[in-house]
Amino acid sequence: SSMSEAARTYSLEGQSAIIDKFRALLAASESNQADWKKHAVSLLEKAIAEAGRDGRKPTFSFGEEDSDEASSESAEMQPTAEPLTEESHPVVAEVRPTLDRTVEELENDYKKGLKLRAGDYLRLVNVGKVKSRELEALMPDFETAVAVRRAAVDPLNKLADLPYTNYPYTIAKDACIENPIGYITVPVGIAGPLKINGGVPLQVPMATTEGALVASTNRGCAAIMRSGGVKTVVTAEGMTRAPVVKFSSASDANRLKQWVQAPENFAKLKAEFDGTSRFAKLLSPPEVVLDGRYAHIRFTSKSGDAMGMNMISKATHQAMKFMQSAFPTMKVLALSGNTCCDKKPAAINWIKGRGRSVLAECWLPESVVKSVLKTTPAAMAECARSKFDSGSAAAGAIGGSNAHAANIVAAIFIATGQDLAQVISSSMCSTRMEVEEDGSLYISVTMNCVECGTVGGGTVLPAQRSMLEFLSVAGPSPSFCDPGTHANNLAQIIAATVLAGELSLMAALCTDDLVSSHLKLNRSRLNLYETSAEAGSSSNSLQPTVLLQRPQQGMIRGKSAERTIKVNCSSIL
Ligand code: ADP
């Protein structure tokens, strides 16, 4: 019975590969009567493990021979390369279902509140007696809970390359993630030094998988450094939340619009709003946009160093309770009514601002434009006019008259634990370039809705927090500064880095280097997706084949690295 149960826990139905393996192993085995149960169990485990390994192979692989060939070839090329062993990649979910007790016995113990083994919990999850989301509450350490969850969702071990060990799940839980099964890694590069407002030059961490992006931004930083640095300023600060309410008539809705303007009403509303957090500060009477009987009430508030969505939502909720008492017939339909506007493209954010509104500007001498950016201020300004003015207008862009602000915003957002969906508004940016009378290039970037924070959200995770520490903006601002100084500084670092990115990409467009540098830096030269036609000739090819396998260590450093084209950073975008 433990056999058939093991089969159930692994959802054998449809997994004919495992059954076939098991049959083959059984046929080849020499078991005697006495130990057949034990023997059968070990054969089943072996069958599952083997089928799991097979499951990781791409369906268009060319079989054992081919992969042997590839590995022997690379070993030959790189004698110092260590063979790929389980030990060097200890990311296999080790939890296996226990087989020595019945599910009923396990369930009884579980109901009695007794501690079970990881493999017992796996079986109970597999039969639906324990919910996957409860695992952390049951396991002594969260990593084991994660391993059990992985084993439950992935019996064939297709997640082997998704790391899950050594992660601060205790910090991430109930703040950043539910049902964790591991973490995605994104490489972090560094661009800089970047001098902002005459301060100590910064190195800016950027997390990205777009090759050429960091190198490009780095070149922009070099141009800025040689021009004396970038100036930045925060022009406004205010996170928004906008509920939608309904009245029985449009004129009733208009009464609310007038009501919030009266100073005594605003004072009371503000007291309710601000009372919910020491950092919430309602800045002005909320703006009321009417649409027939609907009223959209846009609250704008300071949020200290938090990005502020939780904080301002809580404050808005409280303010709406008070408003409800003043307007008993008002029906609150949604706390977020889409004029906020969070995580959706909307002109209102661009026009009125959201989060931190920030500007960065720089004057680059003609000599710097020529030596670092390989072009001229006049060419840059002309390219900017055609692209930002004409092109963005023709495209009907809103907040999109820039070259690639979103690239830099996304990379810094990932590195520093920001809410990634907010790249939508946070990357809205107007880039201007003009030639000054002395022949230098003036550039500005205007970013009206940088939604960032240095407390809360993903900023609590150690890796992300270390990026903020590195930039000297981690956590709450010190008491001798205004609350929000850290988050404002982060917004300025983002804008300054965007300016660097704009300079470099615009120069690459002027010199027509965009395609060549991307082909150099943004295309893997490891052949990851070989076609079958190419594969047929691969045994004669000098280049080793990597068919969705982990590239072996030696392949990156070894001879095959010779195929990586040397890149001269001054000539790339
Ligand atoms: P968000 O609103 O960005 O989602 P949270 O409201 O979840 O962030 O996190 C902010 C929390 O951190 C609040 O409880 C707030 O009181 C606390 N906090 C501590 N120091 C600060 C600070 N300097 N600025 C803003 N919030 C702070």
Side-chain angles (χ1 to χ4, degrees):
S1 81
S2 66
M3 280 281 305
S4 62
E5 204 176 286
R8 265 206 311 282
T9 52
Y10 263 115
S11 318
L12 270 186
E13 218 173 52
Q15 303 292 352
S16 56
I18 299 176
I19 297 170
D20 290 344
K21 289 262 178 207
F22 180 66
R23 283 209 180 102
L25 289 166
L26 204 57
S29 77
E30 296 168 5
S31 172
N32 58 38
Q33 278 296 108
D35 69 356
W36 74 267
K37 277 189 182 174
K38 215 168 129 200
H39 188 62
V41 166
S42 75
L43 286 183
L44 179 59
E45 284 185 346
K46 204 170 159 201
I48 289 168
E50 282 185 21
R53 270 201 295 280
D54 287 354
R56 294 193 47 241
K57 285 189 185 146
T59 48
F60 48 91
S61 129
F62 294 90
E64 302 293 332
E65 278 174 30
D66 210 56
S67 56
D68 284 345
E69 203 175 284
S71 59
S72 65
E73 196 176 331
S74 61
E76 198 181 291
M77 285 177 56
Q78 179 47 258
T80 57
E82 285 170 22
L84 200 62
T85 62
E86 286 301 330
E87 247 166 65
S88 58
H89 293 280
V91 284
V92 177
E94 296 95 349
V95 179
R96 288 164 184 272
T98 52
L99 297 165
D100 53 350
R101 303 178 66 202
T102 65
V103 162
E104 289 71 28
E105 286 168 343
L106 296 176
E107 198 188 348
N108 280 339
D109 282 0
Y110 165 64
K111 282 186 177 156
K112 282 186 215 151
L114 296 176
K115 280 241 170 327
L116 303 180
R117 297 160 297 178
D120 299 334
Y121 285 123
L122 172 58
R123 288 171 68 195
L124 291 177
V125 168
N126 281 340
V127 295
K129 299 293 181 190
V130 164
K131 290 196 170 66
S132 176
R133 66 168 185 266
E134 292 166 353
L135 285 169
E136 275 77 6
L138 299 168
M139 298 273 134
D141 75 304
F142 286 0
E143 193 167 296
T144 311
V146 173
V148 171
R149 182 174 296 113
R150 283 168 72 106
V153 298
D154 181 34
L156 298 184
N157 204 20
K158 291 186 180 181
L159 296 177
D161 285 333
L162 180 77
Y164 77 96
T165 55
N166 299 316
Y167 194 77
Y169 292 110
T170 40
I171 298 174
K173 189 177 180 291
D174 297 330
C176 303
I177 192 73
E178 299 79 40
N179 288 348
I181 57 165
Y183 48 94
I184 283 292
T185 57
V186 180
V188 181
I190 202 87
L194 181 60
K195 195 170 177 169
I196 304 175
N197 295 337
V200 181
L202 289 173
Q203 302 282 350
V204 184
M206 297 172 67
T208 184
T209 53
E210 185 184 2
L213 179 60
V214 175
S216 170
T217 312
N218 203 42
R219 181 172 75 148
C221 290
I224 292 169
M225 262 322 253
R226 291 209 207 164
S227 307
V230 54
K231 279 168 83 176
T232 62
V233 64
V234 174
T235 58
E237 192 189 321
M239 182 40 72
T240 58
R241 187 43 107 195
V244 55
V245 299
K246 189 177 179 180
F247 287 89
S248 48
S249 70
S251 58
D252 276 358
N254 184 47
R255 269 211 289 283
L256 174 88
K257 187 175 165 76
Q258 308 311 319
W259 180 88
V260 294
Q261 298 298 331
E264 65 276 16
N265 294 335
F266 170 59
K268 285 184 201 150
L269 198 63
K270 180 173 165 58
E272 294 286 334
F273 189 101
D274 293 3
T276 57
S277 163
R278 64 205 149 111
F279 299 100
K281 295 207 171 0
L282 189 59
L283 289 167
S284 53
E287 204 155 342
V288 179
V289 174
L290 298 181
D291 181 14
R293 301 190 290 181
Y294 291 126
H296 297 272
I297 311 160
R298 195 170 190 256
F299 291 85
T300 307
S301 166
K302 293 213 174 197
S303 58
D305 292 299
M307 175 276 288
M309 253 317 36
N310 280 332
M311 186 188 291
I312 306 310
S313 296
K314 185 177 157 201
T316 300
H317 193 259
Q318 182 62 29
M320 290 311 290
K321 274 208 247 170
F322 173 70
M323 214 180 256
Q324 181 78 76
S325 63
F327 292 88
T329 62
M330 175 181 87
K331 194 168 173 203
V332 180
L333 296 176
L335 188 68
S336 166
N338 273 13
T339 62
C340 318
C341 173
D342 196 38
K343 303 179 181 175
K344 274 88 60 181
I348 195 166
N349 289 350
W350 176 238
I351 295 164
K352 301 212 174 271
R354 185 167 205 257
R356 330 264 155 178
S357 300
V358 56
L359 267 157
E361 62 187 343
C362 182
W363 287 260
L364 297 103
E366 189 175 9
S367 59
V368 173
V369 176
K370 282 184 172 162
S371 64
V372 182
L373 301 174
K374 314 286 182 223
T375 182
T376 62
M380 293 276 275
E382 156 127 66
C383 186
R385 275 195 304 277
S386 67
K387 189 173 160 73
F388 302 149
D389 298 353
S390 172
S392 296
I398 294 168
S401 54
N402 61 77
H404 67 152
N407 256 336
I408 283 82
V409 173
I412 301 178
F413 266 35
I414 297 172
T416 59
Q418 306 303 314
D419 192 329
L420 294 184
Q422 292 181 326
V423 171
I424 290 173
S425 285
S426 299
S427 62
M428 284 180 157
C429 170
S430 166
T431 301
R432 316 291 322 176
M433 288 185 186
E434 285 156 23
V435 182
E436 295 286 70
E437 270 176 17
D438 65 357
S440 59
L441 177 71
Y442 172 79
I443 171 174
S444 66
V445 297
T446 302
M447 303 178 71
N448 288 341
C449 18
V450 180
E451 297 143 321
C452 68
T454 61
V455 302
T459 68
V460 301
L461 296 168
Q464 285 85 336
R465 192 181 159 91
S466 74
M467 301 286 89
L468 293 167
E469 301 270 8
F470 186 68
L471 291 167
S472 306
V473 294
S477 307
S479 53
F480 57 84
C481 298
D482 288 338
T485 302
H486 273 179
N488 284 350
N489 286 352
L490 178 61
Q492 291 175 89
I493 292 167
I494 291 170
T497 315
V498 164
L499 188 144
E502 295 290 272
L503 276 176
S504 190
L505 177 50
M506 290 302 284
L509 289 170
C510 290
T511 57
D512 207 15
D513 274 343
L514 178 66
V515 173
S516 63
S517 55
H518 263 87
L519 291 185
K520 277 182 204 162
L521 287 178
N522 192 29
R523 261 201 173 170
S524 179
R525 273 156 295 281
L526 296 175
N527 192 354
L528 297 176
Y529 306 104
E530 193 174 36
T531 64
S532 49
E534 284 167 351
S537 61
S538 73
S539 55
N540 302 325
S541 160
L542 290 174
Q543 301 189 355
T545 306
V546 181
L547 274 173
L548 291 177
Q549 293 171 349
R550 280 175 286 231
Q552 298 186 7
Q553 277 184 343
M555 290 187 62
I556 308 293
R557 279 184 282 104
K559 264 198 187 170
S560 59
E562 282 172 14
R563 288 182 290 121
T564 304
I565 300 159
K566 277 234 167 75
V567 173
N568 177 354
C569 271
S570 67
S571 68
I572 52 123
L573 81 149

